[in-house]
Structures are given as structure tokens and as C-alpha cells.
Amino acid sequence: MSVEEFNNEIQKRRTFAIISHPDAGKTTLTEKLLLYGGAIHLAGSIKSRKTQRHAVSDWMEIEKQRGISVTSSVLQFDYDGCRINILDTPGHQDFSEDTYRTLMAVDSAVMIIDVAKGVEAQTKKLFKVCKQRNIPIFTFVNKLDRYGKEPLELMEEIESVLGIRSYPMNWPIGIDGKYKGVYDRQKKQIELFDEDATHGQKERTSVTGDITDPQIAELLGVTAQQALAEDIELLDTAGEDFDLDKIANGELTPMFFGSAMTNFGVQNFLEEYLKLAPPPAPRNSSAGLILPDNESFSAFVFKIQANMNPAHRDRLAFIRICSGKFERGMSVYHHKTNKMIKLSQPQQFLAQERQIIDVAYPGDIVGLFDPGVFGIGDTLCDAGNKFDFADFPVFPPEKFARVQAKDTMKRKQFVKGITQLTQEGAVQLFQQAGAGMESYIVGTVGNLQFEVLEYRLKNEYGVDILMQMQHYEVARWLVNKDGSEVTPESLRGTDRGMFVYDMKQRPVLLVNNEWALGWIVDNNPDVDLFHVPPDKKEA
């Protein structure tokens, strides 16, 4: 393959995540992008129970029942000469860890905002992560088929709450939250939507025309046409200037209005997004900046998922390719184990549909069969050019429970299941000092992770569990300043909390609250306390 062809493949890639508050329409928009990309021919409306279809990107039973995404799906399709990798992040507030890791693997983000609710709590959290990484952010204001806030009010809210200016690429046509279509500012063209009788299952037909077109004026009505003309004049004179550099640095967000449920404005958004979004970006490593067009192969693991196919009991490690060309069967250097690994069954996804692939390029996401060697954040690279990508930050656990198998005969399956789910990064696992091996202490960021743990242990490993919530809210990793090991006997005030060890046998203290922690800090001046393991960075 020539250098020119290789660079052309890189320039075609668009790898992005969709971020939003739960129920803003993230999974629906993902589906509709697949619909326009020709990857699916009938979109499964999440809310419509008439069709009893489920979203293509939600594969776990718990997601189908609740209509939420709890794992990050990876979807790939082609559109208009681009190869698109969409990472569908968990929208539920308890899934910040998995979401954070997913955002490490993308080059841009699409932020969905509900037209009626505006900027919500979870959106703020996810936006903050994107901002920290200077990821370009594109805003899709969703549910325009319903009554909602005024567009100017939403622009002000995005600026005051998130601290980013916006540039509307299109503008809703209608009065008092009742919208008939959108005006495309680049094309200076109006698009009015036909009535949608298919509940968003097929591509939406529309009428397009110039703002001065008599037929369009008649369809609009005088009041709506006048309001639109005034709004456009205001945006052109007082609004932000379009600035590609500011967009690239995450300082200005191109803003689109539409409705994913009824395919209103989705195709227009997709086409404009592909023109503006960046191709694969360089990545920081121990050897400096790694450029995508570097011929030497490199990638990192950002997600591990067990049992995507329950019949096969398989486990996949998802890698983001950062440089060089990936080829099926190639051997690469695995930095953590210091060994060469053959990548023999690489797969790409359309939810449950997966196919073995032969080649992939920077920006692509590939699923690798994992016999248990990969961990989150692991670096893969050429043996002749060894380095390590920057480590993933981790979240301190805030909720704790004692977990054990109901049936002691199933202890082996229980240990296997809980160990695998820990390696996936779904939970953090601790062992109480001096306690036997029949139970573990599990730490999570949110309560829903306990539900998912219980559900997956039962359905994937056949183990029913007993779970007792613990009243601890604070975990601290302990290190003696002189380098000696902290033990339950050497620490004053161990009885004020629970002394446990993490999976790498590092001592950790769990306490009820900050007040109890303050007492322990004051009475153990020779001990350093950390929110996360000392070799990790806190998210």
C-alpha cells in the first residue's frame, strides 16, 4: 500500500462518541445515523412498543428492558466516502467510568440536548471530560417534534452552564415551540418536513426551497416566515462568527436542531458533521506524540466486555488504533506483560452483528478475542518501537457491598465471574483483612452497577448472590512514608472503618465519612492516604 493510500484511509475516519443525559435520545440518534448510513433498513424505535423492536446498539437484556445503554457499544458504517466509528456511551449517571474510558478513544463528541429540558446534570459531567481533553463538540438539539425551549434561550444556557459558545448551523422554523422544519444557514435553504406516518422507521421525506419561494411561503404562513427572517438577521449580525480553529479546540460548538425519533434534520446533521469533524488525532505517550500516519503500529485497550455472545462465553478487548496499519494475524508487543501477542480474531461490529476483519486503520475500533491477558489502558505496539500510552485516570469508589454466592457449591463460578467483571472495569474488588475467601467487598461509583453485577453473575455465570450494602462512603489507599507496609495492627483507628486489600494486595481503608477519615489522618501522621491507587491518576 502506498503512503498516499494509507493517508487517504486515515483522512476518511471519523471516530466519535455521543454524550447526553439519560433519555435525551442518544441511542435513537445512533440508530438513525445507521439508518442513513444504510447499515440498517428499519430503525427500532426505543419508545414504540407497537413494533417490539429494540435498539440495534443495546445488546444486554437489562438494556432492552429499561431502554437505556449500560455498556458502550461500538458501531461502524460508511457514509459519503467516510468510515464512521460511533461509540455509544452509557447515558445513565452511574456509568461515568465506562463512559470516561470511551471518551479516551474518540476524536470528537456529539452532545445531545433535549429541547424541552436544556442542559442536564449528566451532560455537564460528560461535557467536562470532553473539555479537559479539548475534544471538538457538536451539539444536536433533539425532540424538535415536541414543545420546547426557545432556540436563543438554549444558546444562552449552553454558554452560561457549559462555558462554550455555539454557532447554529441550522435554525428551527415555527413559533412557540411548534416547529415545521429547519433553515440551513450554509445553503440558505428551508427544509419543511412531511408528516411522519412510520414512527421514524424510514428516512423522512421533505420539501426544500429558497426562503423567497412562494410555495414555501404558503406552507410556512406569514407569521412563521417573518419570525424566521428576524431570527436569521439577528444571528448574522449579533451571533458568533463561524471559526474552524475554535471548533477544533472545543471552544465553539456547531449547533444543529432536529428530532431523532422522526428523522427530522438527522441527515443534514450527519453530512455537515462529516465535513467539520476531525480525522484521527495524535496521542500522548512515553515516547512523545504518536502521529496517526506513523507507519509503526500502535493501539490501546479502552474497554473489555465478557459474554457479548452468551453461547460462546467469549471475552473481547476493544482497541483503538492510533497509528500504522492493523492486519489480522499480526504479532504485536504487549507493554504490560512484556510479551508478543498474536492478534488472530479481530472483529468489527454492528451491535450483535459482527464480522472478522483483515485490515483496519488509525481511528478504527477493533474487538480482539481476549484469553484474559488484556487490561483497561494496555498499550499494543511494534516490537521495534516500544512505548506506553498515557494511563487512564480512575474514579474513587463511593458505594460498597459485601457479596457472596448463595450456593457455596458455585464458589468457583462466582470467583471467575466477579474477577472477570472486575477486569472489565465494571466494579472494584476488595478482600477484607483476616476474612475468608467466601465473600468479597465490591466498590462502585453508583448503585446501578450493583444491579448489573447481580444480573450478569446470574445470567452469564449461573450464580445467585447475597448482597449486603455497607455503610462506608470513603476509600483511601494507604502507604507508609518510610516505605514499609501498612498493616491493620500498625494503623491507629482501624476499628473506625474496614481494613481491606485491593486485587494487587495494596492496603485500603473504608470509612463512613470525612469526619472519621479526619480522625485517622490526624492520628497516623506517618501514613499517606490516596483517593485512588498511588500509581494511578484520579479522574
Side-chain angles (χ1 to χ4, degrees), residues 152-166:
L152 287 167
E153 188 188 339
L154 285 168
M155 287 173 71
E156 281 171 26
E157 197 175 315
I158 287 171
E159 186 172 352
S160 61
V161 177
L162 301 177
I164 187 169
R165 308 292 287 267
S166 52

mmCIF file of all heavy atoms in Angstrom, residues 152-166:
data_model
loop_
_atom_site.group_PDB
_atom_site.id
_atom_site.type_symbol
_atom_site.label_atom_id
_atom_site.label_comp_id
_atom_site.label_asym_id
_atom_site.label_seq_id
_atom_site.Cartn_x
_atom_site.Cartn_y
_atom_site.Cartn_z
ATOM 1 N N LEU A 152 -32.875 30.613 21.176
ATOM 2 C CA LEU A 152 -31.941 31.590 21.755
ATOM 3 C C LEU A 152 -31.707 31.322 23.240
ATOM 4 O O LEU A 152 -30.601 31.484 23.749
ATOM 5 C CB LEU A 152 -32.450 33.021 21.551
ATOM 6 C CG LEU A 152 -32.346 33.555 20.114
ATOM 7 C CD1 LEU A 152 -33.151 34.838 19.963
ATOM 8 C CD2 LEU A 152 -30.886 33.797 19.709
ATOM 9 N N GLU A 153 -32.760 30.873 23.910
ATOM 10 C CA GLU A 153 -32.645 30.538 25.337
ATOM 11 C C GLU A 153 -31.687 29.355 25.531
ATOM 12 O O GLU A 153 -30.862 29.334 26.447
ATOM 13 C CB GLU A 153 -34.048 30.178 25.863
ATOM 14 C CG GLU A 153 -34.124 29.994 27.372
ATOM 15 C CD GLU A 153 -35.492 29.455 27.820
ATOM 16 O OE1 GLU A 153 -36.482 29.603 27.066
ATOM 17 O OE2 GLU A 153 -35.540 28.891 28.920
ATOM 18 N N LEU A 154 -31.785 28.363 24.638
ATOM 19 C CA LEU A 154 -30.887 27.204 24.707
ATOM 20 C C LEU A 154 -29.432 27.609 24.456
ATOM 21 O O LEU A 154 -28.522 27.118 25.121
ATOM 22 C CB LEU A 154 -31.303 26.139 23.685
ATOM 23 C CG LEU A 154 -32.551 25.326 24.048
ATOM 24 C CD1 LEU A 154 -33.026 24.531 22.843
ATOM 25 C CD2 LEU A 154 -32.276 24.388 25.211
ATOM 26 N N MET A 155 -29.226 28.525 23.515
ATOM 27 C CA MET A 155 -27.860 29.005 23.235
ATOM 28 C C MET A 155 -27.264 29.678 24.470
ATOM 29 O O MET A 155 -26.104 29.453 24.825
ATOM 30 C CB MET A 155 -27.874 29.981 22.055
ATOM 31 C CG MET A 155 -28.085 29.316 20.706
ATOM 32 S SD MET A 155 -28.287 30.539 19.389
ATOM 33 C CE MET A 155 -26.613 31.198 19.262
ATOM 34 N N GLU A 156 -28.081 30.500 25.132
ATOM 35 C CA GLU A 156 -27.616 31.190 26.352
ATOM 36 C C GLU A 156 -27.297 30.182 27.455
ATOM 37 O O GLU A 156 -26.325 30.320 28.184
ATOM 38 C CB GLU A 156 -28.697 32.168 26.852
ATOM 39 C CG GLU A 156 -28.725 33.478 26.080
ATOM 40 C CD GLU A 156 -29.931 34.338 26.444
ATOM 41 O OE1 GLU A 156 -30.446 34.194 27.578
ATOM 42 O OE2 GLU A 156 -30.367 35.137 25.595
ATOM 43 N N GLU A 157 -28.148 29.153 27.560
ATOM 44 C CA GLU A 157 -27.956 28.134 28.600
ATOM 45 C C GLU A 157 -26.651 27.356 28.372
ATOM 46 O O GLU A 157 -25.894 27.114 29.317
ATOM 47 C CB GLU A 157 -29.151 27.169 28.560
ATOM 48 C CG GLU A 157 -29.290 26.343 29.808
ATOM 49 C CD GLU A 157 -30.558 25.488 29.775
ATOM 50 O OE1 GLU A 157 -31.639 25.999 29.403
ATOM 51 O OE2 GLU A 157 -30.445 24.313 30.114
ATOM 52 N N ILE A 158 -26.384 26.988 27.133
ATOM 53 C CA ILE A 158 -25.144 26.268 26.816
ATOM 54 C C ILE A 158 -23.933 27.119 27.198
ATOM 55 O O ILE A 158 -22.961 26.628 27.766
ATOM 56 C CB ILE A 158 -25.111 25.872 25.313
ATOM 57 C CG1 ILE A 158 -26.096 24.724 25.067
ATOM 58 C CG2 ILE A 158 -23.709 25.476 24.871
ATOM 59 C CD1 ILE A 158 -26.312 24.392 23.615
ATOM 60 N N GLU A 159 -24.032 28.412 26.921
ATOM 61 C CA GLU A 159 -22.903 29.291 27.240
ATOM 62 C C GLU A 159 -22.755 29.492 28.751
ATOM 63 O O GLU A 159 -21.652 29.393 29.294
ATOM 64 C CB GLU A 159 -23.059 30.649 26.556
ATOM 65 C CG GLU A 159 -21.823 31.497 26.771
ATOM 66 C CD GLU A 159 -21.817 32.793 25.968
ATOM 67 O OE1 GLU A 159 -22.699 32.986 25.112
ATOM 68 O OE2 GLU A 159 -20.920 33.600 26.217
ATOM 69 N N SER A 160 -23.864 29.742 29.461
ATOM 70 C CA SER A 160 -23.749 30.039 30.894
ATOM 71 C C SER A 160 -23.444 28.783 31.718
ATOM 72 O O SER A 160 -22.682 28.822 32.669
ATOM 73 C CB SER A 160 -25.022 30.715 31.411
ATOM 74 O OG SER A 160 -26.130 29.859 31.232
ATOM 75 N N VAL A 161 -24.017 27.624 31.338
ATOM 76 C CA VAL A 161 -23.828 26.404 32.136
ATOM 77 C C VAL A 161 -22.549 25.656 31.754
ATOM 78 O O VAL A 161 -21.818 25.170 32.607
ATOM 79 C CB VAL A 161 -25.057 25.466 31.988
ATOM 80 C CG1 VAL A 161 -24.840 24.174 32.749
ATOM 81 C CG2 VAL A 161 -26.313 26.156 32.481
ATOM 82 N N LEU A 162 -22.260 25.574 30.447
ATOM 83 C CA LEU A 162 -21.107 24.785 29.999
ATOM 84 C C LEU A 162 -19.895 25.645 29.643
ATOM 85 O O LEU A 162 -18.789 25.131 29.485
ATOM 86 C CB LEU A 162 -21.487 23.924 28.785
ATOM 87 C CG LEU A 162 -22.634 22.925 28.991
ATOM 88 C CD1 LEU A 162 -22.934 22.202 27.693
ATOM 89 C CD2 LEU A 162 -22.308 21.914 30.080
ATOM 90 N N GLY A 163 -20.123 26.944 29.485
ATOM 91 C CA GLY A 163 -18.992 27.827 29.183
ATOM 92 C C GLY A 163 -18.465 27.678 27.771
ATOM 93 O O GLY A 163 -17.268 27.830 27.520
ATOM 94 N N ILE A 164 -19.331 27.330 26.826
ATOM 95 C CA ILE A 164 -18.899 27.224 25.427
ATOM 96 C C ILE A 164 -19.891 28.000 24.555
ATOM 97 O O ILE A 164 -21.101 27.963 24.788
ATOM 98 C CB ILE A 164 -18.803 25.734 24.977
ATOM 99 C CG1 ILE A 164 -18.177 25.618 23.583
ATOM 100 C CG2 ILE A 164 -20.152 25.028 25.024
ATOM 101 C CD1 ILE A 164 -17.814 24.193 23.182
ATOM 102 N N ARG A 165 -19.374 28.753 23.591
ATOM 103 C CA ARG A 165 -20.250 29.499 22.672
ATOM 104 C C ARG A 165 -20.746 28.545 21.596
ATOM 105 O O ARG A 165 -20.102 27.548 21.302
ATOM 106 C CB ARG A 165 -19.465 30.655 22.017
ATOM 107 C CG ARG A 165 -18.731 31.566 22.993
ATOM 108 C CD ARG A 165 -19.665 32.397 23.859
ATOM 109 N NE ARG A 165 -20.321 33.476 23.150
ATOM 110 C CZ ARG A 165 -19.860 34.718 23.078
ATOM 111 N NH1 ARG A 165 -18.719 35.049 23.667
ATOM 112 N NH2 ARG A 165 -20.539 35.642 22.436
ATOM 113 N N SER A 166 -21.893 28.887 20.998
ATOM 114 C CA SER A 166 -22.425 27.997 19.954
ATOM 115 C C SER A 166 -22.666 28.757 18.652
ATOM 116 O O SER A 166 -22.910 29.967 18.653
ATOM 117 C CB SER A 166 -23.723 27.349 20.441
ATOM 118 O OG SER A 166 -24.617 28.324 20.897
#
